[in-house]
Amino acid sequence: MTLDINWKGMLTVVKKEFIDSVRNKWIIAVTIIFVSLALLVSYFGSAMQLGETGFQGFLVTIVLIMAISVLLVTMIALMLGYGAIATERERGSLDLLLTMPITRTEAVVSKFIGLATVLFVSIFVGFGLAGIVIAAVAGAADFPKYLLFLGATFMVGLAFLSVAFLLSTVTKRRSTAMGGAVLLWFFFILIYDIVLIGVFVATGGDLFTPGSSLPDWYYAAELFSPSSAYGMATSLMLGGNASEILPGFVNGFSTVGSLLAWILIPLVIAIWVLNRRDI
Amino acid sequence: MASGYPAIKTEGLTKKFKELVAVNDLGLEVKKGEVFGFLGPNGAGKTTTIRMITGLMYPSSGSVLVNGEDIAHHGLQMRKSLGFLPERVGFYPNLTAEQTMEFYCDLKGQSRDQVRPLLHRVGLLNFAKKKVNTFSRGMVQLLGFGQALIGEPDLMILDEPAGGLDPYWIRMVKNAILEAKNRGATVFFSSHILGEVEEICDRVAIVNQGILAAEDTIDNLRKHMEMKPRLWLQMTSVDENAVNVASSIDSVTNVQVTGNWIMIECDHELRMDVMNALKEKGYQILDFRTEEPSLEEVFLRFTRRAEGGQTR
């Protein structure tokens, strides 16, 4: 079998997906949200801890942004992706797309790349612009770490985009895909941690005695959640005492590996399902 | 391009949805360069068949061969020379008509130069810069048809191409189909309205409840169904005896009475005999008209059984 990829066709779909997000002002809205979020958080976020306002350096800014970006970026990625296939199916444009001289795999991958580009641009332009302001006021120290953090943020976005694609492929209707996206978001962002802690306490675990710590299995389970993997990867990158609290197997490789798996596996399953599905 | 093979050939094509058999052991053969009408009432399995031929749906069993190649393995090859209009076509609401056509030209690797001429052809040039979400159903259908014409494809598959169009645009669609045929393309299209197909189809297939009821030229279908032309006579009075007189003539297949009109189904050559026989018995003919059997009737005969007498 020869690997005969229709690059031109793929580029056409990638471009269309990206330009679509410009046309419907999605990318602009999201970028503005990211800029203002980063600036607001960096300026006011320290008020509670430090009792003063003003732009903080990048390390503090990262910690402050992360608490919100894990909620926002994952939600935006799900919103971008849940309709990718389901909406096209519902409005009938999927019939035409999949009868063009492009394979189903190429079509899905191109759509994914197109929407990933939307995420990339909004994250790096949005948080990047804010980063320039912060660097100008509070100094450029640790700017490389800020870029690494944005890279991790992009990855968790891709992981949720990939999950959204899978949802969009397996569901029959757009509304089902949307419902599934909402449930998944609540599951990973809120419920997963609560359940893990609950299991720990229910099995006799102790959280309140000073010096007590969470067991290894808890962290192992956290590695299976893309949003937790993102949180742990960022903590490790920031340094501090994270590497002392976290067990040895939670490291750069395992956290980034978890995110990569979450990016690739749902997308591969989505492609597999779509290739076998009746349209 | 492979020659000698039929443009489309289906073998034992079957599609089951749980309990329902939507398409049942369908064997069609569409020759290269012909206009082929795929007819049947709503819900007969036309769209499901078309979706299997275009590779959108997978058959439960059986196969589809395009130019002699099984599309299960050569689907991409088939799509390279395909112009397809799906049933209930849809586009991207944020794109203008022009951007939409450009998108499909790019995907098909075709020049964008044809976008404006094609938009003109389907009457949408004045709306080229308008977003598709402002379009009426008929305009969307026309844009879909324009899209199917991109790159003068060798094979056109059109699912209800006249759906939602007024007579002027149905005429345009018919002309475009005939033009495609004249440059050597094969056109396969479905319809549930017979008037749409009679004058442009080389051959038709009639499908009902997923089963192929007939596949032939329209003339042959008429002959096959032994449908004879009808002679209507208006007489001063029509009684039982007149019916007997008409029925007694050889090869009169059917006689019916409506008021003072009598309908006699027979070949053209017998008409004088019938009229003379009636005159001899003293019946006075006031008026007459003749009626050729239409494809509509052929179609109804094939589908009435299943439809309970009602066909839309």
Side-chain angles (χ1 to χ4, degrees):
Chain A
M1 213 181 91
T2 53
L3 207 62
D4 194 7
I5 297 172
N6 182 353
W7 296 110
K8 223 175 145 241
M10 287 184 72
L11 187 65
T12 302
V13 177
V14 171
K15 269 186 354 205
K16 189 218 144 264
E17 288 296 320
F18 184 79
I19 294 171
D20 244 10
S21 78
V22 178
R23 285 199 190 99
N24 60 25
K25 315 215 169 39
W26 236 91
I27 196 166
I28 297 155
V30 172
T31 305
I32 290 172
I33 289 172
F34 286 165
V35 175
S36 29
L37 176 84
L39 290 178
L40 276 173
V41 157
S42 179
Y43 192 83
F44 292 113
S46 57
M48 272 196 287
Q49 281 90 12
L50 305 177
E52 59 184 72
T53 57
F55 283 115
Q56 302 300 314
F58 279 112
L59 290 188
V60 175
T61 302
I62 291 171
V63 175
L64 294 170
I65 290 178
M66 197 182 67
I68 300 174
S69 66
V70 72
L71 307 180
L72 204 63
V73 173
T74 53
M75 190 188 292
I76 283 167
L78 285 173
M79 284 168 68
L80 261 180
Y82 82 87
I85 306 297
T87 306
E88 284 223 31
R89 193 204 318 275
E90 209 155 285
R91 76 160 90 88
S93 51
L94 195 62
D95 290 2
L96 281 181
L97 183 62
L98 298 186
T99 48
M100 292 291 143
I102 181 170
T103 65
R104 291 191 184 186
T105 304
E106 287 166 350
V108 175
V109 170
S110 313
K111 288 192 77 115
F112 187 82
I113 295 173
L115 294 179
T117 313
V118 174
L119 269 184
F120 183 87
V121 170
S122 50
I123 287 172
F124 279 87
V125 172
F127 288 125
L129 283 177
I132 291 168
V133 175
I134 294 166
V137 179
D142 293 315
F143 188 68
K145 281 197 173 174
Y146 185 66
L147 281 182
L148 269 179
F149 164 70
L150 294 190
T153 306
F154 178 50
M155 282 184 81
V156 76
L158 288 183
F160 277 79
L161 187 65
S162 177
V163 170
F165 262 65
L166 178 56
L167 267 175
S168 199
T169 313
V170 296
T171 49
K172 271 223 158 64
R173 302 174 55 82
R174 176 191 149 91
S175 49
T176 322
M178 189 169 74
V182 171
L183 282 179
L184 265 174
W185 187 82
F186 272 105
F187 178 77
F188 280 125
I189 303 301
L190 297 172
I191 298 172
Y192 193 75
D193 288 356
I194 294 173
V195 169
L196 284 186
I197 299 277
V199 169
F200 173 60
V201 171
T203 52
D206 180 8
L207 272 178
F208 299 100
T209 315
S212 67
S213 66
L214 287 158
D216 282 1
W217 68 257
Y218 173 86
Y219 290 106
E222 286 280 45
L223 272 181
F224 282 91
S225 152
S227 43
S228 302
Y230 164 66
M232 293 191 295
T234 309
S235 304
L236 285 168
M237 186 196 72
L238 287 172
N241 60 354
S243 48
E244 289 157 34
I245 295 170
L246 296 170
F249 63 82
V250 178
N251 51 39
F253 278 116
S254 61
T255 50
V256 172
S258 164
L259 285 173
L260 278 177
W262 274 104
I263 294 168
L264 289 176
I265 294 170
L267 186 64
V268 168
I269 299 173
I271 292 167
W272 188 85
V273 169
L274 191 72
N275 270 306
R276 274 150 195 79
R277 244 195 111 149
D278 283 338
I279 304 301
Chain B
M1 197 169 69
S3 60
Y5 291 107
I8 303 171
K9 186 175 167 67
T10 69
E11 292 174 334
L13 195 63
T14 301
K15 184 68 186 178
K16 291 178 184 146
F17 298 107
K18 291 184 183 123
E19 305 292 289
L20 175 79
V21 183
V23 176
N24 194 350
D25 195 25
L26 199 73
L28 280 178
E29 192 171 317
V30 181
K31 293 173 192 140
K32 279 230 169 70
E34 74 177 348
V35 176
F36 192 97
F38 190 46
L39 314 173
N42 289 321
K46 301 190 297 292
T47 293
T48 306
T49 304
I50 286 178
R51 294 180 91 75
M52 287 192 283
I53 292 173
T54 51
L56 287 171
M57 281 185 174
Y58 299 109
S60 306
S61 60
S63 57
V64 176
L65 295 111
V66 172
N67 294 326
E69 293 184 316
D70 192 333
I71 63 146
H73 305 109
H74 299 91
L76 195 61
Q77 193 58 38
M78 177 269 293
R79 298 203 298 275
K80 279 181 183 160
S81 55
L82 172 71
F84 175 46
L85 174 67
E87 185 202 37
R88 209 181 56 88
V89 63
F91 295 104
Y92 304 100
N94 278 318
L95 300 193
T96 64
E98 193 172 29
Q99 288 164 340
T100 302
M101 291 290 280
E102 285 170 355
F103 175 63
Y104 293 112
C105 281
D106 290 353
L107 272 176
K108 292 183 171 198
Q110 295 287 337
S111 161
R112 289 181 167 198
D113 293 347
Q114 58 197 306
V115 166
R116 294 184 71 83
L118 282 176
L119 283 175
H120 175 70
R121 169 112 224 212
V122 297
L124 294 175
L125 194 54
N126 290 337
F127 303 92
K129 307 281 183 204
K130 288 262 186 292
K131 285 189 175 183
V132 176
N133 61 7
T134 64
F135 280 17
S136 70
R137 190 65 226 160
M139 290 162 83
V140 170
Q141 179 78 6
L142 286 167
L143 186 59
F145 189 73
Q147 170 277 140
L149 291 171
I150 292 172
E152 302 199 327
D154 293 332
L155 175 62
M156 294 188 76
I157 298 181
L158 313 167
D159 198 348
E160 299 275 356
L165 298 184
D166 60 38
Y168 178 80
W169 292 111
I170 292 178
R171 175 53 49 194
M172 181 279 294
V173 167
K174 282 181 179 174
N175 288 340
I177 289 174
L178 290 175
E179 266 173 44
K181 174 195 157 91
N182 286 339
R183 64 172 165 77
T186 309
V187 184
F188 178 87
F189 75 97
S190 74
S191 178
H192 67 279
I193 300 164
L194 280 302
E196 283 174 1
V197 307
E198 210 158 355
E199 54 186 303
I200 58 169
C201 285
D202 298 309
R203 290 194 308 136
V204 298
I206 297 175
V207 65
N208 192 28
Q209 294 196 319
I211 296 166
L212 185 67
E215 181 187 353
D216 216 329
T217 63
I218 290 167
D219 284 345
N220 281 345
L221 278 183
R222 283 196 189 116
K223 278 185 199 140
H224 175 70
M225 291 305 291
E226 294 185 337
M227 296 185 71
K228 295 186 174 166
R230 289 159 187 175
L231 175 65
W232 288 85
L233 300 173
Q234 189 188 29
M235 304 190 295
T236 41
S237 69
V238 181
D239 52 25
E240 196 67 21
N241 193 40
V243 174
N244 290 336
V245 170
S247 305
S248 65
I249 295 167
D250 264 0
S251 87
V252 165
T253 46
N254 193 8
V255 178
Q256 272 171 32
V257 175
T258 315
N260 61 345
W261 282 91
I262 183 167
M263 186 278 284
I264 300 138
E265 224 174 71
C266 65
D267 288 326
H268 301 94
E269 313 86 72
L270 280 174
R271 283 178 180 166
M272 285 313 290
D273 297 350
V274 171
M275 288 196 277
N276 287 337
L278 285 167
K279 276 187 197 161
E280 271 172 31
K281 298 288 174 190
Y283 293 100
Q284 205 186 341
I285 295 167
L286 302 174
D287 195 3
F288 77 97
R289 59 190 170 87
T290 59
E291 197 177 82
E292 297 296 319
S294 68
L295 183 58
E296 189 84 40
E297 291 170 70
V298 177
F299 180 66
L300 280 175
R301 284 220 190 165
F302 275 112
T303 57
R304 185 174 285 148
R305 230 174 323 132
E307 291 273 309
Q310 276 296 312
T311 307
R312 276 191 294 145

